[in-house]
PDB file of all heavy atoms in Angstrom:
ATOM      1  N   LEU X 107      42.357  39.605 -99.145  1.00  0.00           N
ATOM      2  CA  LEU X 107      41.803  40.339 -98.003  1.00  0.00           C
ATOM      3  C   LEU X 107      42.498  39.995 -96.689  1.00  0.00           C
ATOM      4  O   LEU X 107      42.309  40.680 -95.684  1.00  0.00           O
ATOM      5  CB  LEU X 107      40.301  40.040 -97.875  1.00  0.00           C
ATOM      6  CG  LEU X 107      39.390  40.643 -98.949  1.00  0.00           C
ATOM      7  CD1 LEU X 107      38.015  39.991 -98.898  1.00  0.00           C
ATOM      8  CD2 LEU X 107      39.275  42.153 -98.781  1.00  0.00           C
ATOM      9  N   GLY X 108      43.280  38.908 -96.692  1.00  0.00           N
ATOM     10  CA  GLY X 108      43.968  38.514 -95.468  1.00  0.00           C
ATOM     11  C   GLY X 108      43.365  37.299 -94.793  1.00  0.00           C
ATOM     12  O   GLY X 108      43.667  37.027 -93.624  1.00  0.00           O
ATOM     13  N   GLY X 109      42.512  36.554 -95.522  1.00  0.00           N
ATOM     14  CA  GLY X 109      41.925  35.338 -94.970  1.00  0.00           C
ATOM     15  C   GLY X 109      42.882  34.162 -95.066  1.00  0.00           C
ATOM     16  O   GLY X 109      43.986  34.267 -95.599  1.00  0.00           O
ATOM     17  N   TYR X 110      42.447  33.012 -94.557  1.00  0.00           N
ATOM     18  CA  TYR X 110      43.321  31.849 -94.456  1.00  0.00           C
ATOM     19  C   TYR X 110      43.103  30.785 -95.531  1.00  0.00           C
ATOM     20  O   TYR X 110      43.948  29.891 -95.692  1.00  0.00           O
ATOM     21  CB  TYR X 110      43.122  31.167 -93.095  1.00  0.00           C
ATOM     22  CG  TYR X 110      43.614  31.947 -91.884  1.00  0.00           C
ATOM     23  CD1 TYR X 110      43.271  31.537 -90.597  1.00  0.00           C
ATOM     24  CD2 TYR X 110      44.415  33.089 -92.014  1.00  0.00           C
ATOM     25  CE1 TYR X 110      43.710  32.229 -89.474  1.00  0.00           C
ATOM     26  CE2 TYR X 110      44.846  33.784 -90.899  1.00  0.00           C
ATOM     27  CZ  TYR X 110      44.493  33.355 -89.623  1.00  0.00           C
ATOM     28  OH  TYR X 110      44.919  34.035 -88.518  1.00  0.00           O
ATOM     29  N   SER X 111      41.984  30.820 -96.250  1.00  0.00           N
ATOM     30  CA  SER X 111      41.642  29.712 -97.159  1.00  0.00           C
ATOM     31  C   SER X 111      42.713  29.447 -98.208  1.00  0.00           C
ATOM     32  O   SER X 111      43.023  28.288 -98.515  1.00  0.00           O
ATOM     33  CB  SER X 111      40.304  29.977 -97.847  1.00  0.00           C
ATOM     34  OG  SER X 111      39.234  29.841 -96.951  1.00  0.00           O
ATOM     35  N   GLY X 112      43.276  30.496 -98.784  1.00  0.00           N
ATOM     36  CA  GLY X 112      44.301  30.315 -99.806  1.00  0.00           C
ATOM     37  C   GLY X 112      45.568  29.697 -99.261  1.00  0.00           C
ATOM     38  O   GLY X 112      46.153  28.790 -99.871  1.00  0.00           O
ATOM     39  N   LEU X 113      46.002  30.167 -98.098  1.00  0.00           N
ATOM     40  CA  LEU X 113      47.220  29.638 -97.473  1.00  0.00           C
ATOM     41  C   LEU X 113      47.052  28.160 -97.113  1.00  0.00           C
ATOM     42  O   LEU X 113      47.926  27.333 -97.379  1.00  0.00           O
ATOM     43  CB  LEU X 113      47.541  30.451 -96.215  1.00  0.00           C
ATOM     44  CG  LEU X 113      48.010  31.898 -96.445  1.00  0.00           C
ATOM     45  CD1 LEU X 113      47.871  32.713 -95.176  1.00  0.00           C
ATOM     46  CD2 LEU X 113      49.444  31.930 -96.946  1.00  0.00           C
ATOM     47  N   VAL X 114      45.898  27.819 -96.510  1.00  0.00           N
ATOM     48  CA  VAL X 114      45.657  26.431 -96.122  1.00  0.00           C
ATOM     49  C   VAL X 114      45.535  25.545 -97.357  1.00  0.00           C
ATOM     50  O   VAL X 114      46.042  24.411 -97.378  1.00  0.00           O
ATOM     51  CB  VAL X 114      44.390  26.330 -95.242  1.00  0.00           C
ATOM     52  CG1 VAL X 114      44.016  24.870 -94.998  1.00  0.00           C
ATOM     53  CG2 VAL X 114      44.600  27.044 -93.913  1.00  0.00           C
ATOM     54  N   SER X 115      44.882  26.051 -98.398  1.00  0.00           N
ATOM     55  CA  SER X 115      44.739  25.277 -99.634  1.00  0.00           C
ATOM     56  C   SER X 115      46.099  24.979-100.252  1.00  0.00           C
ATOM     57  O   SER X 115      46.327  23.884-100.776  1.00  0.00           O
ATOM     58  CB  SER X 115      43.857  26.029-100.634  1.00  0.00           C
ATOM     59  OG  SER X 115      42.543  26.181-100.143  1.00  0.00           O
ATOM     60  N   ASP X 116      47.009  25.928-100.192  1.00  0.00           N
ATOM     61  CA  ASP X 116      48.356  25.734-100.740  1.00  0.00           C
ATOM     62  C   ASP X 116      49.136  24.680 -99.950  1.00  0.00           C
ATOM     63  O   ASP X 116      49.788  23.805-100.529  1.00  0.00           O
ATOM     64  CB  ASP X 116      49.144  27.051-100.714  1.00  0.00           C
ATOM     65  CG  ASP X 116      48.690  28.037-101.785  1.00  0.00           C
ATOM     66  OD1 ASP X 116      47.977  27.626-102.717  1.00  0.00           O
ATOM     67  OD2 ASP X 116      49.047  29.228-101.672  1.00  0.00           O
ATOM     68  N   THR X 117      49.071  24.760 -98.628  1.00  0.00           N
ATOM     69  CA  THR X 117      49.899  23.861 -97.813  1.00  0.00           C
ATOM     70  C   THR X 117      49.335  22.440 -97.734  1.00  0.00           C
ATOM     71  O   THR X 117      50.046  21.520 -97.318  1.00  0.00           O
ATOM     72  CB  THR X 117      50.072  24.409 -96.380  1.00  0.00           C
ATOM     73  OG1 THR X 117      48.783  24.571 -95.779  1.00  0.00           O
ATOM     74  CG2 THR X 117      50.794  25.745 -96.394  1.00  0.00           C
ATOM     75  N   SER X 118      48.072  22.257 -98.126  1.00  0.00           N
ATOM     76  CA  SER X 118      47.466  20.922 -98.067  1.00  0.00           C
ATOM     77  C   SER X 118      47.139  20.374 -99.457  1.00  0.00           C
ATOM     78  O   SER X 118      46.476  19.347 -99.585  1.00  0.00           O
ATOM     79  CB  SER X 118      46.184  20.959 -97.225  1.00  0.00           C
ATOM     80  OG  SER X 118      45.248  21.879 -97.778  1.00  0.00           O
ATOM     81  N   ALA X 119      47.619  21.046-100.505  1.00  0.00           N
ATOM     82  CA  ALA X 119      47.309  20.630-101.879  1.00  0.00           C
ATOM     83  C   ALA X 119      48.088  19.382-102.280  1.00  0.00           C
ATOM     84  O   ALA X 119      49.235  19.194-101.877  1.00  0.00           O
ATOM     85  CB  ALA X 119      47.622  21.762-102.851  1.00  0.00           C
ATOM     86  N   ILE X 120      47.450  18.532-103.089  1.00  0.00           N
ATOM     87  CA  ILE X 120      48.152  17.386-103.683  1.00  0.00           C
ATOM     88  C   ILE X 120      48.172  17.498-105.205  1.00  0.00           C
ATOM     89  O   ILE X 120      48.832  16.713-105.886  1.00  0.00           O
ATOM     90  CB  ILE X 120      47.531  16.040-103.252  1.00  0.00           C
ATOM     91  CG1 ILE X 120      46.088  15.919-103.723  1.00  0.00           C
ATOM     92  CG2 ILE X 120      47.617  15.876-101.739  1.00  0.00           C
ATOM     93  CD1 ILE X 120      45.467  14.550-103.439  1.00  0.00           C
ATOM     94  N   GLN X 121      47.424  18.472-105.739  1.00  0.00           N
ATOM     95  CA  GLN X 121      47.441  18.735-107.179  1.00  0.00           C
ATOM     96  C   GLN X 121      46.960  20.150-107.437  1.00  0.00           C
ATOM     97  O   GLN X 121      46.097  20.653-106.714  1.00  0.00           O
ATOM     98  CB  GLN X 121      46.518  17.754-107.926  1.00  0.00           C
ATOM     99  CG  GLN X 121      46.592  17.893-109.453  1.00  0.00           C
ATOM    100  CD  GLN X 121      45.438  17.197-110.171  1.00  0.00           C
ATOM    101  OE1 GLN X 121      44.364  17.757-110.324  1.00  0.00           O
ATOM    102  NE2 GLN X 121      45.675  15.967-110.609  1.00  0.00           N
ATOM    103  N   PHE X 122      47.537  20.814-108.458  1.00  0.00           N
ATOM    104  CA  PHE X 122      47.102  22.168-108.840  1.00  0.00           C
ATOM    105  C   PHE X 122      46.769  22.195-110.324  1.00  0.00           C
ATOM    106  O   PHE X 122      47.510  21.640-111.146  1.00  0.00           O
ATOM    107  CB  PHE X 122      48.177  23.211-108.541  1.00  0.00           C
ATOM    108  CG  PHE X 122      47.749  24.614-108.925  1.00  0.00           C
ATOM    109  CD1 PHE X 122      47.137  25.448-108.007  1.00  0.00           C
ATOM    110  CD2 PHE X 122      47.917  25.082-110.233  1.00  0.00           C
ATOM    111  CE1 PHE X 122      46.711  26.719-108.371  1.00  0.00           C
ATOM    112  CE2 PHE X 122      47.489  26.360-110.596  1.00  0.00           C
ATOM    113  CZ  PHE X 122      46.887  27.180-109.659  1.00  0.00           C
ATOM    114  N   LYS X 123      45.656  22.861-110.649  1.00  0.00           N
ATOM    115  CA  LYS X 123      45.298  23.073-112.052  1.00  0.00           C
ATOM    116  C   LYS X 123      44.745  24.480-112.233  1.00  0.00           C
ATOM    117  O   LYS X 123      43.953  24.949-111.404  1.00  0.00           O
ATOM    118  CB  LYS X 123      44.223  22.067-112.492  1.00  0.00           C
ATOM    119  CG  LYS X 123      44.765  20.776-113.072  1.00  0.00           C
ATOM    120  CD  LYS X 123      43.645  19.992-113.751  1.00  0.00           C
ATOM    121  CE  LYS X 123      44.227  18.791-114.500  1.00  0.00           C
ATOM    122  NZ  LYS X 123      43.194  18.067-115.252  1.00  0.00           N
ATOM    123  N   MET X 124      45.155  25.123-113.326  1.00  0.00           N
ATOM    124  CA  MET X 124      44.529  26.384-113.723  1.00  0.00           C
ATOM    125  C   MET X 124      43.527  26.029-114.813  1.00  0.00           C
ATOM    126  O   MET X 124      43.908  25.683-115.932  1.00  0.00           O
ATOM    127  CB  MET X 124      45.561  27.388-114.228  1.00  0.00           C
ATOM    128  CG  MET X 124      44.976  28.757-114.549  1.00  0.00           C
ATOM    129  SD  MET X 124      44.382  29.653-113.079  1.00  0.00           S
ATOM    130  CE  MET X 124      45.952  30.214-112.383  1.00  0.00           C
ATOM    131  N   LEU X 125      42.243  26.098-114.473  1.00  0.00           N
ATOM    132  CA  LEU X 125      41.199  25.723-115.414  1.00  0.00           C
ATOM    133  C   LEU X 125      40.953  26.832-116.427  1.00  0.00           C
ATOM    134  O   LEU X 125      41.225  28.008-116.181  1.00  0.00           O
ATOM    135  CB  LEU X 125      39.898  25.425-114.656  1.00  0.00           C
ATOM    136  CG  LEU X 125      39.986  24.387-113.535  1.00  0.00           C
ATOM    137  CD1 LEU X 125      38.626  24.190-112.886  1.00  0.00           C
ATOM    138  CD2 LEU X 125      40.531  23.065-114.057  1.00  0.00           C
ATOM    139  N   ASN X 126      40.423  26.460-117.586  1.00  0.00           N
ATOM    140  CA  ASN X 126      40.049  27.407-118.656  1.00  0.00           C
ATOM    141  C   ASN X 126      41.228  28.190-119.207  1.00  0.00           C
ATOM    142  O   ASN X 126      41.065  29.316-119.684  1.00  0.00           O
ATOM    143  CB  ASN X 126      38.978  28.401-118.164  1.00  0.00           C
ATOM    144  CG  ASN X 126      37.611  27.769-118.050  1.00  0.00           C
ATOM    145  OD1 ASN X 126      37.330  26.762-118.701  1.00  0.00           O
ATOM    146  ND2 ASN X 126      36.759  28.352-117.240  1.00  0.00           N
ATOM    147  N   LYS X 127      42.414  27.614-119.175  1.00  0.00           N
ATOM    148  CA  LYS X 127      43.600  28.328-119.636  1.00  0.00           C
ATOM    149  C   LYS X 127      43.541  28.616-121.140  1.00  0.00           C
ATOM    150  O   LYS X 127      44.203  29.529-121.635  1.00  0.00           O
ATOM    151  CB  LYS X 127      44.842  27.486-119.307  1.00  0.00           C
ATOM    152  CG  LYS X 127      46.154  28.246-119.340  1.00  0.00           C
ATOM    153  CD  LYS X 127      46.298  29.292-118.259  1.00  0.00           C
ATOM    154  CE  LYS X 127      47.694  29.883-118.286  1.00  0.00           C
ATOM    155  NZ  LYS X 127      47.859  31.087-117.497  1.00  0.00           N
ATOM    156  N   SER X 128      42.730  27.829-121.876  1.00  0.00           N
ATOM    157  CA  SER X 128      42.607  28.045-123.327  1.00  0.00           C
ATOM    158  C   SER X 128      41.739  29.254-123.646  1.00  0.00           C
ATOM    159  O   SER X 128      41.700  29.709-124.790  1.00  0.00           O
ATOM    160  CB  SER X 128      42.008  26.804-123.992  1.00  0.00           C
ATOM    161  OG  SER X 128      40.713  26.550-123.491  1.00  0.00           O
ATOM    162  N   LYS X 129      41.053  29.796-122.622  1.00  0.00           N
ATOM    163  CA  LYS X 129      40.196  30.976-122.823  1.00  0.00           C
ATOM    164  C   LYS X 129      40.929  32.221-122.329  1.00  0.00           C
ATOM    165  O   LYS X 129      42.082  32.160-121.936  1.00  0.00           O
ATOM    166  CB  LYS X 129      38.875  30.780-122.083  1.00  0.00           C
ATOM    167  CG  LYS X 129      38.094  29.564-122.572  1.00  0.00           C
ATOM    168  CD  LYS X 129      36.787  29.399-121.816  1.00  0.00           C
ATOM    169  CE  LYS X 129      36.033  28.162-122.305  1.00  0.00           C
ATOM    170  NZ  LYS X 129      34.763  27.968-121.574  1.00  0.00           N
ATOM    171  N   GLY X 130      40.236  33.349-122.359  1.00  0.00           N
ATOM    172  CA  GLY X 130      40.834  34.601-121.898  1.00  0.00           C
ATOM    173  C   GLY X 130      41.033  34.596-120.397  1.00  0.00           C
ATOM    174  O   GLY X 130      40.427  33.796-119.664  1.00  0.00           O
ATOM    175  N   PRO X 131      41.880  35.502-119.875  1.00  0.00           N
ATOM    176  CA  PRO X 131      42.228  35.498-118.447  1.00  0.00           C
ATOM    177  C   PRO X 131      41.058  35.734-117.510  1.00  0.00           C
ATOM    178  O   PRO X 131      41.134  35.387-116.332  1.00  0.00           O
ATOM    179  CB  PRO X 131      43.280  36.614-118.332  1.00  0.00           C
ATOM    180  CG  PRO X 131      43.117  37.448-119.546  1.00  0.00           C
ATOM    181  CD  PRO X 131      42.629  36.536-120.617  1.00  0.00           C
ATOM    182  N   ALA X 132      39.962  36.333-117.996  1.00  0.00           N
ATOM    183  CA  ALA X 132      38.789  36.512-117.141  1.00  0.00           C
ATOM    184  C   ALA X 132      38.194  35.175-116.723  1.00  0.00           C
ATOM    185  O   ALA X 132      37.490  35.083-115.721  1.00  0.00           O
ATOM    186  CB  ALA X 132      37.726  37.344-117.866  1.00  0.00           C
ATOM    187  N   MET X 133      38.501  34.127-117.496  1.00  0.00           N
ATOM    188  CA  MET X 133      37.932  32.805-117.229  1.00  0.00           C
ATOM    189  C   MET X 133      38.899  31.874-116.498  1.00  0.00           C
ATOM    190  O   MET X 133      38.508  30.800-116.068  1.00  0.00           O
ATOM    191  CB  MET X 133      37.497  32.142-118.544  1.00  0.00           C
ATOM    192  CG  MET X 133      36.548  32.968-119.383  1.00  0.00           C
ATOM    193  SD  MET X 133      34.998  33.292-118.526  1.00  0.00           S
ATOM    194  CE  MET X 133      34.252  31.671-118.599  1.00  0.00           C
ATOM    195  N   TRP X 134      40.173  32.262-116.385  1.00  0.00           N
ATOM    196  CA  TRP X 134      41.144  31.387-115.715  1.00  0.00           C
ATOM    197  C   TRP X 134      40.738  31.196-114.255  1.00  0.00           C
ATOM    198  O   TRP X 134      40.469  32.164-113.533  1.00  0.00           O
ATOM    199  CB  TRP X 134      42.542  31.979-115.770  1.00  0.00           C
ATOM    200  CG  TRP X 134      43.082  32.151-117.162  1.00  0.00           C
ATOM    201  CD1 TRP X 134      42.537  31.691-118.318  1.00  0.00           C
ATOM    202  CD2 TRP X 134      44.277  32.850-117.534  1.00  0.00           C
ATOM    203  NE1 TRP X 134      43.313  32.055-119.396  1.00  0.00           N
ATOM    204  CE2 TRP X 134      44.388  32.763-118.946  1.00  0.00           C
ATOM    205  CE3 TRP X 134      45.259  33.526-116.824  1.00  0.00           C
ATOM    206  CZ2 TRP X 134      45.438  33.342-119.646  1.00  0.00           C
ATOM    207  CZ3 TRP X 134      46.316  34.105-117.516  1.00  0.00           C
ATOM    208  CH2 TRP X 134      46.405  34.005-118.920  1.00  0.00           C
ATOM    209  N   SER X 135      40.708  29.947-113.817  1.00  0.00           N
ATOM    210  CA  SER X 135      40.240  29.644-112.461  1.00  0.00           C
ATOM    211  C   SER X 135      41.149  28.601-111.802  1.00  0.00           C
ATOM    212  O   SER X 135      41.199  27.455-112.253  1.00  0.00           O
ATOM    213  CB  SER X 135      38.813  29.108-112.507  1.00  0.00           C
ATOM    214  OG  SER X 135      37.925  30.042-113.094  1.00  0.00           O
ATOM    215  N   PRO X 136      41.847  28.975-110.742  1.00  0.00           N
ATOM    216  CA  PRO X 136      42.731  28.012-110.063  1.00  0.00           C
ATOM    217  C   PRO X 136      41.936  27.002-109.247  1.00  0.00           C
ATOM    218  O   PRO X 136      40.873  27.319-108.695  1.00  0.00           O
ATOM    219  CB  PRO X 136      43.597  28.896-109.164  1.00  0.00           C
ATOM    220  CG  PRO X 136      42.797  30.135-108.956  1.00  0.00           C
ATOM    221  CD  PRO X 136      41.937  30.323-110.163  1.00  0.00           C
ATOM    222  N   ARG X 137      42.460  25.785-109.171  1.00  0.00           N
ATOM    223  CA  ARG X 137      41.814  24.714-108.392  1.00  0.00           C
ATOM    224  C   ARG X 137      42.888  23.799-107.824  1.00  0.00           C
ATOM    225  O   ARG X 137      43.853  23.485-108.519  1.00  0.00           O
ATOM    226  CB  ARG X 137      40.868  23.903-109.271  1.00  0.00           C
ATOM    227  CG  ARG X 137      40.130  22.765-108.544  1.00  0.00           C
ATOM    228  CD  ARG X 137      39.372  21.894-109.540  1.00  0.00           C
ATOM    229  NE  ARG X 137      38.521  20.902-108.879  1.00  0.00           N
ATOM    230  CZ  ARG X 137      38.914  19.702-108.484  1.00  0.00           C
ATOM    231  NH1 ARG X 137      40.192  19.327-108.667  1.00  0.00           N
ATOM    232  NH2 ARG X 137      38.074  18.866-107.906  1.00  0.00           N
ATOM    233  N   VAL X 138      42.706  23.374-106.580  1.00  0.00           N
ATOM    234  CA  VAL X 138      43.613  22.378-106.004  1.00  0.00           C
ATOM    235  C   VAL X 138      42.814  21.166-105.549  1.00  0.00           C
ATOM    236  O   VAL X 138      41.669  21.281-105.113  1.00  0.00           O
ATOM    237  CB  VAL X 138      44.424  22.912-104.796  1.00  0.00           C
ATOM    238  CG1 VAL X 138      45.399  23.985-105.216  1.00  0.00           C
ATOM    239  CG2 VAL X 138      43.517  23.381-103.671  1.00  0.00           C
ATOM    240  N   GLN X 139      43.439  20.000-105.716  1.00  0.00           N
ATOM    241  CA  GLN X 139      42.969  18.793-105.051  1.00  0.00           C
ATOM    242  C   GLN X 139      43.644  18.796-103.692  1.00  0.00           C
ATOM    243  O   GLN X 139      44.839  19.112-103.599  1.00  0.00           O
ATOM    244  CB  GLN X 139      43.386  17.573-105.864  1.00  0.00           C
ATOM    245  CG  GLN X 139      42.636  16.314-105.552  1.00  0.00           C
ATOM    246  CD  GLN X 139      41.190  16.373-105.990  1.00  0.00           C
ATOM    247  OE1 GLN X 139      40.871  16.989-106.996  1.00  0.00           O
ATOM    248  NE2 GLN X 139      40.307  15.762-105.227  1.00  0.00           N
ATOM    249  N   SER X 140      42.893  18.495-102.646  1.00  0.00           N
ATOM    250  CA  SER X 140      43.425  18.661-101.290  1.00  0.00           C
ATOM    251  C   SER X 140      43.572  17.341-100.555  1.00  0.00           C
ATOM    252  O   SER X 140      42.847  16.379-100.822  1.00  0.00           O
ATOM    253  CB  SER X 140      42.494  19.574-100.484  1.00  0.00           C
ATOM    254  OG  SER X 140      42.334  20.828-101.118  1.00  0.00           O
ATOM    255  N   ASP X 141      44.495  17.343 -99.608  1.00  0.00           N
ATOM    256  CA  ASP X 141      44.590  16.264 -98.626  1.00  0.00           C
ATOM    257  C   ASP X 141      43.591  16.617 -97.526  1.00  0.00           C
ATOM    258  O   ASP X 141      43.792  17.564 -96.764  1.00  0.00           O
ATOM    259  CB  ASP X 141      46.011  16.187 -98.064  1.00  0.00           C
ATOM    260  CG  ASP X 141      46.206  15.021 -97.115  1.00  0.00           C
ATOM    261  OD1 ASP X 141      45.387  14.876 -96.188  1.00  0.00           O
ATOM    262  OD2 ASP X 141      47.181  14.268 -97.299  1.00  0.00           O
ATOM    263  N   ARG X 142      42.490  15.866 -97.482  1.00  0.00           N
ATOM    264  CA  ARG X 142      41.374  16.227 -96.603  1.00  0.00           C
ATOM    265  C   ARG X 142      41.811  16.375 -95.137  1.00  0.00           C
ATOM    266  O   ARG X 142      41.468  17.365 -94.475  1.00  0.00           O
ATOM    267  CB  ARG X 142      40.272  15.176 -96.714  1.00  0.00           C
ATOM    268  CG  ARG X 142      39.051  15.458 -95.855  1.00  0.00           C
ATOM    269  CD  ARG X 142      38.121  14.256 -95.773  1.00  0.00           C
ATOM    270  NE  ARG X 142      37.632  13.857 -97.078  1.00  0.00           N
ATOM    271  CZ  ARG X 142      36.577  14.406 -97.689  1.00  0.00           C
ATOM    272  NH1 ARG X 142      35.938  15.397 -97.095  1.00  0.00           N
ATOM    273  NH2 ARG X 142      36.181  13.980 -98.871  1.00  0.00           N
ATOM    274  N   MET X 143      42.540  15.408 -94.613  1.00  0.00           N
ATOM    275  CA  MET X 143      42.940  15.457 -93.200  1.00  0.00           C
ATOM    276  C   MET X 143      43.942  16.584 -92.948  1.00  0.00           C
ATOM    277  O   MET X 143      43.872  17.274 -91.929  1.00  0.00           O
ATOM    278  CB  MET X 143      43.509  14.112 -92.773  1.00  0.00           C
ATOM    279  CG  MET X 143      42.447  13.017 -92.691  1.00  0.00           C
ATOM    280  SD  MET X 143      43.086  11.428 -92.112  1.00  0.00           S
ATOM    281  CE  MET X 143      43.920  10.821 -93.597  1.00  0.00           C
ATOM    282  N   MET X 144      44.850  16.797 -93.882  1.00  0.00           N
ATOM    283  CA  MET X 144      45.849  17.851 -93.745  1.00  0.00           C
ATOM    284  C   MET X 144      45.177  19.230 -93.789  1.00  0.00           C
ATOM    285  O   MET X 144      45.546  20.143 -93.041  1.00  0.00           O
ATOM    286  CB  MET X 144      46.884  17.726 -94.870  1.00  0.00           C
ATOM    287  CG  MET X 144      48.105  18.583 -94.690  1.00  0.00           C
ATOM    288  SD  MET X 144      49.248  18.432 -96.098  1.00  0.00           S
ATOM    289  CE  MET X 144      49.894  16.782 -95.803  1.00  0.00           C
TER     290      MET X 144
END
């Protein structure tokens, strides 16, 4: 939609995981561990 959460999450991430990858794509869910201060 043009919001900022995704961009900020990418630039401050310290780890990325795609959860539920063993299931169908409707269940795939991206997650990042973040640098809180960054």
